[in-house]
Amino acid sequence: MALNIEDIRTQFPILHQNVHGKPLVYLDNAATSQKPIQVIDALTAYYSGYNSNVHRGVHHLAEKATTAFEESREAVRCFLNAATLEEVIITKGTTEGINLVANSYGRKFIKAGDEIIISTLEHHSNIVPWQMLCEETGAILRIIPINDSGELLLDEYEKMLNERTKLVSVVYVSNALGTINPVKEMVKMAHHVGALVMLDGAQAISHLNLDMQDLDCDFFVFSAHKVYGPTGIGILYGKKVILEKMPPYLGGGEMIKEVTFAKTTYNDLPYKFEAGTPNIGDMVALKYAINFVENIGKENIAKHEHELLTYATEQMQEIPNVKIIGTAKEKIGVISFVAEGIHHFDLGMMLDANGVAVRTGNHCTMPLMSRLGLNGTARASFAAYNTKHEIDVFTRELAKAVRIMS
Ligand code: 7TS
């Protein structure tokens, strides 16, 4: 089904503005996606109609807030096809989810000499928590290498796996290059040696159909703001049998059953990992972001974005001096690029002067950039509301910028 992009665009108020006198072309969706009016309205409705703390009060507003909050958890459960609601833990985002697992599971179960595997493609959020854990425990961090197209070398991964491997934590889709990793196969390979697998789903969440039971990963994390939802809210999915064995990460209200000065007993899942008043308004609004995606259908969005990827790639290949970085066979709508002799920052500034928003820099993937011999790239990334006309504007302005600065 072809998407009705004009109809989709009417749902995003932010898109209808000029930037530096030119119509905004927003191509920084891998950093954060824009929010449809339903999400914005849900926030307003919550704060103007039923703001109240959850799980505590018997009064009307508290019940209404709790119901909406828990309905959102159920919407996430369905979206991920998780087996139970207890497996859906509310966090601030991807980064917090990874830190939760590193601190809770990692500090309890990972010991000196154990091995943790990540990959060259990781975002800093999926590197630093493991380095911190390794420093504390004496565990060893091992890195799956990539080829020059930006694809993981699976045979090297296979060689790395052994009985000392306790955890594999890999990105499902690279934010810097767009590479889609063969994670289902990687999960199977890790399980074969008894290791657990955590998937960083920050980019996968808005582009790929996700089924936790089919993927069989042990943990999966994402941020709502990358899937048309608000900032400050995210999800950690974990298999119930594993979450049950893990100690709480933060202590406080909500995560307890009973507190005495002698001993405290912890609440059941998922609340054991949700200390303190949660981000209620943004969690309530997340359901509306999920509904937005489900109403259009993820396959339809993915197909549209893939058409934009192909269209943009073809046009960019025609621009002298421009080189696309990351040419994996399996990619989402993310194109990193450089132009010889021109700093990526200058490219970004020139595009911005013409209303085109792209990302420049190392994309929080400094080890990947250094593997590629680069100090950064410019990056265009697509969402459901982007159009071929916007790609035309982007490539026209890119060609102009390169001509002027070469
Ligand atoms: N992992 C990946 C793969 C990401 O793309 C990001 C954010 C994160 C983790 C961290 O997510 P957070 O919501 O906790 O911050 N990526 C980007 C980006 O590509 N440009 O800005 C943020």
Side-chain angles (χ1 to χ4, degrees):
M1 184 190 84
L3 298 192
N4 183 344
I5 306 294
E6 279 321 306
D7 179 51
I8 292 173
R9 290 180 72 80
T10 59
Q11 299 173 50
F12 288 81
I14 203 171
L15 297 177
H16 309 283
Q17 63 175 297
N18 284 352
V19 167
H20 307 305
K22 304 280 171 62
L24 169 66
V25 174
Y26 185 78
L27 300 180
D28 193 17
N29 296 288
T32 197
S33 57
Q34 299 302 348
K35 323 303 173 201
I37 190 69
Q38 303 87 300
V39 169
I40 301 166
D41 283 349
L43 285 167
T44 310
Y46 169 72
Y47 285 113
S48 54
Y50 57 101
N51 171 53
S52 186
N53 214 325
V54 287
H55 303 135
R56 298 165 197 217
V58 290
H59 59 83
H60 175 73
L61 295 188
E63 266 181 30
K64 206 169 163 190
T66 303
T67 303
F69 183 79
E70 289 301 330
E71 276 174 8
S72 250
R73 195 192 304 270
E74 171 59 16
V76 173
R77 189 200 64 72
C78 273
F79 199 51
L80 298 179
N81 194 29
T84 73
L85 281 169
E86 296 148 295
E87 299 182 322
V88 179
I89 316 280
I90 295 161
T91 67
K92 285 200 302 229
T94 305
T95 303
E96 191 182 51
I98 297 171
N99 277 277
L100 192 162
V101 173
N103 279 280
S104 167
Y105 184 87
R107 288 163 102 176
K108 174 140 187 194
F109 293 108
I110 294 187
K111 307 270 178 297
D114 287 347
E115 294 180 4
I116 299 168
I117 298 179
I118 60 173
S119 86
T120 310
L121 293 173
E122 302 314 318
H123 186 281
H124 298 161
S125 293
N126 197 28
I127 301 174
V128 183
W130 305 116
Q131 287 177 325
M132 289 162 77
L133 180 68
C134 286
E135 201 163 305
E136 186 178 321
T137 59
I140 296 152
L141 195 59
R142 305 194 64 185
I143 319 292
I144 310 168
I146 56 169
N147 62 22
D148 292 338
S149 302
E151 295 166 317
L152 296 183
L153 298 178
L154 281 198
D155 46 348
E156 295 297 323
Y157 170 58
E158 188 162 28
K159 278 188 230 154
M160 264 177 209
L161 289 163
N162 64 63
E163 69 284 357
R164 291 183 304 278
T165 315
K166 289 291 165 328
L167 194 98
V168 176
S169 188
V170 285
V171 69
Y172 196 156
V173 174
S174 158
N175 65 314
L177 306 183
T179 313
I180 305 173
N181 290 323
V183 291
K184 192 169 170 188
E185 192 182 341
M186 293 175 78
V187 169
K188 267 205 199 103
M189 289 160 78
H191 283 172
H192 198 65
V193 296
L196 299 188
V197 182
M198 167 140 187
L199 298 179
D200 172 350
Q203 298 295 333
I205 191 70
S206 61
H207 308 281
L208 304 180
N209 264 328
L210 296 166
D211 180 334
M212 294 302 113
Q213 296 177 69
D214 180 56
L215 277 176
D216 199 30
C217 56
D218 302 286
F219 302 106
F220 181 97
V221 280
F222 77 89
S223 305
H225 72 92
K226 299 213 197 261
V227 61
Y228 310 102
T231 50
I233 196 87
I235 298 295
L236 163 66
Y237 159 84
K239 279 185 186 156
K240 187 177 165 195
V241 285
I242 301 168
L243 291 174
E244 273 172 344
K245 285 191 253 167
M246 287 164 50
Y249 170 44
L250 297 175
E254 191 76 25
M255 52 73 73
I256 51 89
K257 246 189 194 133
E258 196 170 83
V259 179
T260 67
F261 283 121
K263 186 175 164 54
T264 289
T265 49
Y266 304 130
N267 206 341
D268 298 325
L269 289 172
Y271 309 111
K272 181 170 87 174
F273 293 108
E274 295 179 2
T277 298
N279 183 350
I280 304 163
D282 290 316
M283 183 60 189
V284 167
L286 173 56
K287 186 175 94 174
Y288 293 82
I290 290 174
N291 286 348
F292 165 79
V293 171
E294 286 188 331
N295 284 341
I296 304 173
K298 254 199 203 167
E299 290 96 351
N300 296 324
I301 294 177
K303 188 163 166 278
H304 170 68
E305 289 168 349
H306 203 266
E307 276 169 23
L308 295 179
L309 173 70
T310 309
Y311 188 67
T313 304
E314 282 167 7
Q315 292 198 26
M316 289 170 75
Q317 279 164 346
E318 300 297 313
I319 306 175
N321 252 358
V322 167
K323 185 172 172 212
I324 293 175
I325 306 296
T327 50
K329 282 191 266 322
E330 299 293 330
K331 266 184 82 168
I332 59 154
V334 164
I335 309 183
S336 254
F337 57 97
V338 292
E340 216 185 300
I342 306 174
H343 198 277
H344 48 81
F345 182 74
D346 293 332
L347 278 179
M349 292 290 282
M350 290 282 276
L351 287 167
D352 177 61
N354 290 288
V356 181
V358 299
R359 190 80 167 179
T360 63
N362 60 49
H363 316 293
C364 294
T365 57
M366 283 169 79
L368 170 62
M369 292 296 133
S370 95
R371 158 65 180 82
L372 297 169
L374 300 168
N375 61 6
T377 68
R379 180 191 68 185
S381 50
F382 312 133
Y385 41 69
N386 288 125
T387 64
K388 283 194 172 166
H389 171 70
E390 289 182 307
I391 305 289
D392 291 338
V393 173
F394 158 57
T395 52
R396 185 187 69 216
E397 295 305 331
L398 175 61
K400 251 199 254 167
V402 171
R403 211 169 41 239
I404 292 168
M405 289 190 282
S406 288

